[in-house]
């Protein structure tokens, strides 16, 4: 019997101007022979209330918040505000209940009541963040209210889910603390991967990307620019190493952070803004060393960054800061994870990698390590385990 997959996502398909794990999961599921349809269920503005077929073939199904302000995002976690808005989706699926199997994927702990509205054949919670904790690590009254609402919604999803998949061992351990004994063997860790082949293709368009890039070693951050990043650290490093260029590629999600604006005043710091996802490999080739400079916070302890294996797939060495989930991949000349935001420690780590930029053996080692983490391999195993009702705790 063919399957209809419903994916609960954080926003509209192109809303983030980035491709996250959930986007790749949706595309993978759509490619499967036994898939009839993939539905992308997401928060949206009030002027988008009807389903639409995206160019990819995925059906986007919007659910409007209680209001347009960001403050109204809380309505995603209280069934009173969204339950009625799910009726059209429920009616659509009920018409097909004898023809297809229904698989519900939560990649965001919203709309928990959906898990109880249909006799789902399978419910999977793919947890990629410590959702209830503030991304900037700063406590506040609003943050505490938000934390409680999200935590309660997540609890309902955890109870309904047949399998829980986590992107880091930190999240895995957190889940083990929250679930019943009978479910502990249904929790898995599947770290983020890479579209490996995309980073192996050399394209002459690369010459048109940043043609006026300054000479010298280029340190690159590629992805969403958010408050979880340590802009002050990079500013201190940029001030000490005037011959290095720090390149930031991605949309500004800092809500006007003064720290980020101050960083951009440095002459050897450059920001491109958002770029099309298909051009990311070309920008990656302009980078000599990848950087992932995160702040010390509980939220960041749970993160397994999307860009680690992308940098490595492009043959680039990487320095990470305050990302304990990546410590297992520490390897000289390949990846150096730091637990210190001291600028001198960061500079020393970068200088060591700088000496090895042209080492062909290390370039090959980085690429081979990334090749083991191809998204299709990860998702194929996730799907196989979920649909076969297997149990067991493992890391992929």
């Amino acid at each position: 019997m063919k399957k209809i997959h419903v994916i609960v996502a954080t926003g509209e398909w192109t809303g983030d101007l980035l491709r996250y794990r959930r986007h790749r999961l949706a595309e993978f599921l759509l490619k499967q022979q036994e898939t009839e349809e993939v539905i992308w269920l997401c928060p949206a503005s009030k002027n988008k209330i009807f389903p639409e077929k995206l160019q990819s073939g995925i059906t986007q199904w919007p659910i409007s918040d209680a209001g347009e302000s960001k403050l109204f995002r809380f309505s995603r976690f209280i069934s009173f505000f969204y339950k009625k808005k799910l009726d059209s989706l429920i009616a659509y699926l009920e018409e097909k209940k004898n023809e297809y199997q229904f698989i519900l994927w939560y990649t965001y702990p919203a709309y928990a009541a959906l898990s109880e509205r249909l006799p789902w054949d399978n419910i999977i919670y793919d947890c990629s963040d410590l959702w209830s904790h503030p991304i900037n690590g700063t406590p506040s009254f609003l943050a505490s209210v938000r934390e409680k609402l999200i935590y309660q919604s997540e609890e309902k999803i955890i109870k309904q889910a047949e399998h829980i998949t986590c992107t880091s061992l930190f999240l895995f351990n957190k889940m083990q603390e929250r679930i019943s004994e009978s479910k502990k063997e249904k929790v898995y860790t599947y770290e983020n991967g890479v579209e490996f082949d995309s980073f192996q293709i050399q394209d002459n368009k690369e010459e048109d990307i940043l043609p006026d890039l300054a000479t010298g070693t280029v340190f690159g951050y590629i992805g969403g620019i958010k408050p979880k990043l340590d802009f002050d650290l990079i500013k201190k490093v940029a001030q000490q190493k005037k011959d290095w260029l720090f390149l930031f590629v991605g949309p500004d999600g800092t809500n006007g952070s003064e720290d980020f604006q101050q960083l951009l005043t440095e002459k050897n710091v450059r920001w491109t803004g958002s770029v099309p996802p298909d051009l990311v490999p070309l920008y990656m080739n302009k980078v000599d060393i990848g950087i992932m400079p995160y702040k010390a916070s509980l939220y960041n302890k749970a993160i397994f960054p999307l860009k680690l294996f992308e940098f490595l797939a492009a043959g680039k060495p990487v320095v990470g800061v305050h990302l304990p989930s990546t410590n297992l991949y520490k390897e000289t000349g390949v990846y150096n994870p730091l637990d210190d935001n001291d600028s001198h420690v960061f500079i020393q780590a970068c200088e060591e990698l700088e000496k090895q930029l042209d080492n062909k053996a290390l370039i090959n080692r980085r690429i081979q390590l990334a090749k083991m983490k191809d998204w299709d391999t990860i998702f194929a195993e996730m799907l196989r385990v979920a649909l076969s009702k297997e149990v067991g705790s493992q890391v992929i």
Side-chain angles (χ1 to χ4, degrees):
M1 186 178 289
K2 284 205 164 188
K3 299 171 178 59
I4 295 177
H5 297 274
V6 177
I7 297 177
V8 178
T10 60
E12 296 175 57
W13 183 264
T14 58
D16 293 311
L17 302 176
L18 295 166
R19 278 167 49 77
Y20 286 109
R21 175 184 176 104
R22 64 188 75 94
H23 294 85
R24 295 173 170 98
L25 173 63
E27 290 170 341
F28 171 82
L29 294 172
L30 190 64
K31 290 188 299 184
Q32 304 310 299
Q33 188 175 4
E34 64 272 19
T35 296
E36 173 66 20
E37 185 177 13
V38 173
I39 296 173
W40 183 263
L41 183 71
C42 62
S45 61
K46 280 186 174 284
N47 62 347
K48 290 190 176 181
I49 59 174
F50 298 107
E52 63 174 315
K53 186 74 77 172
L54 302 176
Q55 189 174 4
S56 63
I58 291 166
T59 302
Q60 180 165 278
W61 206 294
I63 303 291
S64 61
D65 288 335
E68 295 297 321
S69 167
K70 288 184 178 180
L71 289 174
F72 288 105
R73 291 180 179 177
F74 74 88
S75 61
R76 305 168 187 179
F77 311 107
I78 302 175
S79 62
F80 173 81
F81 291 100
Y82 66 76
K83 202 167 185 179
K84 188 71 176 173
K85 297 172 184 178
L86 292 174
D87 286 351
S88 60
L89 173 63
I90 301 301
Y92 174 79
L93 293 175
E94 282 186 335
E95 288 181 359
K96 301 172 180 291
K97 63 183 178 182
N98 296 322
E99 302 174 61
Y100 304 105
Q101 290 185 327
F102 300 146
I103 313 297
L104 177 59
W105 299 81
Y106 279 99
T107 68
Y108 177 50
Y111 314 130
L114 178 60
S115 65
E116 303 168 342
R117 298 283 303 273
L118 280 171
W120 299 95
D121 292 279
N122 211 322
I123 300 174
I124 303 105
Y125 178 30
D126 187 39
C127 182
S128 60
D129 283 286
L130 202 59
W131 290 107
S132 59
H133 286 262
I135 193 170
N136 60 6
T138 305
S140 67
F141 172 74
L142 284 177
S144 64
V145 172
R146 175 183 175 276
E147 177 179 352
K148 184 177 180 180
L149 289 175
I150 295 177
Y151 189 90
Q152 290 174 342
S153 180
E154 193 174 41
E155 279 289 286
K156 294 177 183 177
I157 293 167
I158 289 170
K159 287 179 181 177
Q160 293 292 329
E162 293 186 43
H163 288 85
I164 299 171
T165 54
C166 306
T167 57
S168 69
L169 285 173
F170 183 90
L171 287 171
F172 171 87
N173 290 329
K174 284 291 182 184
M175 284 296 159
Q176 289 287 329
E177 294 171 4
R178 295 174 63 178
I179 61 177
S180 63
E181 194 65 35
S182 62
K183 278 195 172 182
K184 288 187 183 296
E185 291 187 335
K186 294 186 178 182
V187 182
Y188 292 75
T189 304
Y190 295 97
E191 296 165 342
N192 285 325
V194 58
E195 291 168 325
F196 181 78
D197 290 343
S198 297
F199 292 87
Q200 309 309 303
I201 299 172
Q202 297 299 317
D203 195 311
N204 57 17
K205 287 182 182 178
E206 185 184 345
E207 297 176 4
D208 300 327
I209 300 294
L210 304 174
D212 58 339
L213 202 62
T215 58
T217 306
V218 178
F219 294 81
Y221 173 85
I222 300 178
I225 299 169
K226 298 180 180 179
K228 61 188 176 184
L229 299 178
D230 194 337
F231 302 118
D232 186 56
L233 166 62
I234 300 304
K235 182 180 178 180
K236 289 176 182 176
V237 175
Q239 290 172 340
Q240 295 173 64
K241 299 290 290 187
K242 301 289 187 181
D243 56 327
W244 288 355
L245 175 68
F246 293 87
L247 178 66
F248 286 79
V249 179
D252 181 3
T254 66
N255 296 318
S257 163
E258 185 177 342
D259 288 343
F260 182 50
Q261 296 306 315
Q262 285 295 314
L263 173 62
L264 295 180
T265 64
E266 299 299 323
K267 292 183 179 180
N268 56 335
V269 175
R270 184 167 173 180
W271 173 47
T272 68
S274 181
V275 303
D278 61 307
L279 294 184
V280 166
L282 303 184
Y283 281 88
M284 194 76 79
N285 283 340
K286 292 291 186 178
V287 172
D288 295 308
I289 296 173
I291 57 171
M292 302 183 301
Y294 286 62
K295 294 176 181 176
S297 71
L298 188 61
Y299 182 90
N300 287 340
K301 280 185 178 181
I303 287 175
F304 194 98
L306 285 160
K307 286 296 173 282
L308 174 58
F309 293 120
E310 292 186 2
F311 279 123
L312 295 180
K316 313 298 181 177
V318 192
V319 176
V321 183
H322 291 306
L323 291 166
S325 65
T326 64
N327 287 346
L328 289 173
Y329 297 97
K330 181 176 182 178
E331 192 171 327
T332 302
V334 176
Y335 176 54
N336 192 345
L338 308 174
D339 60 2
D340 192 327
N341 62 352
D342 182 275
S343 61
H344 299 290
V345 173
F346 187 88
I347 288 171
Q348 184 179 11
C350 290
E351 287 175 338
E352 288 300 314
L353 292 178
E354 198 176 21
K355 296 172 186 175
Q356 305 283 356
L357 290 181
D358 297 322
N359 185 317
K360 290 187 177 180
L362 286 174
I363 292 172
N364 289 333
R365 171 58 185 156
R366 297 166 199 149
I367 293 172
Q368 289 306 309
L369 182 59
K371 191 174 184 179
M372 298 163 55
K373 294 290 184 173
D374 186 73
W375 277 120
D376 280 359
T377 302
I378 293 170
F379 291 142
E381 181 62 14
M382 280 175 60
L383 186 61
R384 184 190 70 79
V385 168
L387 299 185
S388 66
K389 312 287 186 180
E390 286 188 12
V391 296
S393 303
Q394 60 186 56
V395 179
I396 300 293

